[in-house]
Amino acid sequence: MHETVQPAWDSRARTMKSEMGNDQPDTYLNDRLDWNLLRTFLAIARERSVSRAAMHLHLTQPAVSQALRRLEDRLGMRLVDRHGPRIEVTQAGIEVQKIAEEIYGTVSRLALADVDRDTDISGTIRIGAASGIDYPAYDEFLSEFHRTYPRIEFEVQVMRSADVVNGLQQKAITLGLTPRRTLPASIDARIFLRQRYALFCGQHHPLFGRDDLRIADITSYPLVSFNSDRVGGHLSPLAIFRDEMGFTGRVIGSSSSMTEIKRLIYAGFGIGCLPEHTVYDDVRSGRFQRLPPDQGVADVDVHLLWSRNRKLSVAESEFMAALHGFIEKQDLLTGLVVRRGSA
């Protein structure tokens, strides 16, 4: 005989149903509710738009609207209020969205349960990472980890800092690697990679080759910037620096990709900020030139983020333990280098 295990969200769903006066039996939602309807509503609630939700889900707008109506009929409640093309989620819809977020996180973790204890550890590590993290020591760490656990798979998604935090709250990703921002209480963090940003120009830029430059000489030139390089974004220290130094050049190239930012700077579109260590070889080879100020622009460290409320699979636990060990080893090595340099 198989025992039926009720999901954690089941009691909340029954409570909502009873508050509406629904006289369906308690098993109605469990047996009849289609997860795809909740998934569609979740996209609508996140996007605040049926059309954008349809684009995100690769469905037609009528299909998304029909799914919303079916879910409202099944639950017996109005989930959104329409104001032309814009929608607002009702209070009931907010409660349903919270439940759908929990279910989404649980469903996304089903693949992590693939552990063959008779052989070795398997499963999936899901990482949300900022663009362009250049860290050779981390590359070597991943190589060693893969040799130790060849059956563990990795899914790495390039994400905005805010999306990394959302993914951790929804328990949809294992960890995040991103510049730190204001974090909710459920998210822990530690420094993963220390990096200093400085200004650079490429070899096709008119400033290239000049060795007599001062800040005043470069403030009027066009700029290349990251999409998150604005006040409030996780690279806002770069925008603050430009404002304080009186930069007046307009932004004529932007991207969320480190690779594309480097490409635009090299091509001479404008000057821009990059982590010093990511262009070290480019400067040595003559593709890039560092610009004032000599001390750089700002320190924007990459942090490791994780949810303290997420129950980890065996594969995830092994990786997180190994990653923390790697960070501690790098901190120790950095400390030794600093002490030797100051001796």
Side-chain angles (χ1 to χ4, degrees), residues 101-343:
E101 296 279 12
E102 293 178 11
I103 299 173
Y104 179 85
T106 300
V107 170
S108 70
R109 292 169 55 209
L110 290 178
L112 306 181
D114 176 25
V115 178
D116 185 353
R117 300 181 186 274
D118 295 331
T119 54
D120 58 358
I121 297 174
S122 64
T124 302
I125 310 297
R126 292 188 172 92
I127 300 175
S131 168
I133 296 177
D134 189 337
Y135 195 2
Y138 176 57
D139 299 344
E140 294 300 322
F141 160 76
L142 287 177
S143 176
E144 181 178 347
F145 186 86
H146 176 63
R147 288 194 298 269
T148 305
Y149 300 102
R151 297 187 62 212
I152 294 181
E153 300 177 358
F154 282 75
E155 294 180 8
V156 183
Q157 299 181 53
V158 175
M159 309 170 76
R160 298 180 306 160
S161 183
D163 293 333
V164 170
V165 174
N166 289 338
L168 290 170
Q169 289 183 298
Q170 297 164 14
K171 301 180 176 63
I173 59 176
T174 309
L175 60 98
L177 297 172
T178 180
R180 185 169 179 174
R181 52 184 289 128
T182 302
L183 299 174
S186 62
I187 305 299
D188 279 331
R190 69 182 300 182
I191 292 178
F192 171 72
L193 170 63
R194 297 183 183 277
Q195 55 181 11
R196 172 162 293 187
Y197 277 72
L199 275 168
F200 296 90
C201 69
Q203 71 176 93
H204 299 290
H205 195 275
L207 291 175
F208 190 84
R210 292 183 55 181
D211 57 6
D212 59 342
L213 295 171
R214 300 167 301 167
I215 283 286
D217 298 322
I218 66 177
T219 53
S220 61
Y221 280 88
L223 299 164
V224 174
S225 75
F226 290 91
N227 292 339
S228 53
D229 174 2
R230 61 184 183 277
V231 176
H234 69 252
L235 292 180
S236 59
L238 308 185
I240 294 172
F241 166 82
R242 292 200 305 267
D243 290 343
E244 290 178 344
M245 294 295 105
F247 278 74
T248 58
R250 65 189 182 95
V251 176
I252 64 170
S254 63
S255 175
S256 60
S257 165
M258 180 83 70
T259 300
E260 296 306 319
I261 290 294
K262 289 181 65 175
R263 193 191 316 278
L264 291 172
I265 293 176
Y266 171 74
F269 278 68
I271 62 176
C273 290
L274 291 167
E276 292 176 331
H277 71 281
T278 65
V279 289
Y280 177 79
D281 290 337
D282 295 293
V283 171
R284 291 188 63 186
S285 65
R287 287 170 51 85
F288 282 77
Q289 177 177 327
R290 180 168 172 159
L291 301 173
D294 292 339
Q295 70 272 23
V297 171
D299 292 325
V300 186
D301 299 328
V302 175
H303 285 73
L304 165 65
L305 309 183
W306 69 94
S307 171
R308 66 180 63 173
N309 298 328
R310 192 180 197 278
K311 184 177 180 180
L312 300 178
S313 69
V314 176
E316 290 175 314
S317 296
E318 291 293 331
F319 182 72
M320 287 297 291
L323 186 55
H324 281 294
F326 162 75
I327 295 172
E328 289 160 8
K329 179 180 178 181
Q330 294 303 308
D331 288 344
L332 178 61
L333 291 174
T334 301
L336 288 174
V337 171
V338 170
R339 287 196 293 273
R340 287 171 181 169
S342 60

Side-chain angles (χ1 to χ4, degrees), residues 20-40:
M20 296 183 306
N22 195 323
D23 57 1
Q24 295 285 358
D26 286 345
T27 59
Y28 178 77
L29 286 180
N30 286 349
D31 296 339
R32 301 290 300 277
L33 188 58
D34 183 353
W35 156 242
N36 286 320
L37 299 183
L38 281 175
R39 176 172 172 267
T40 302

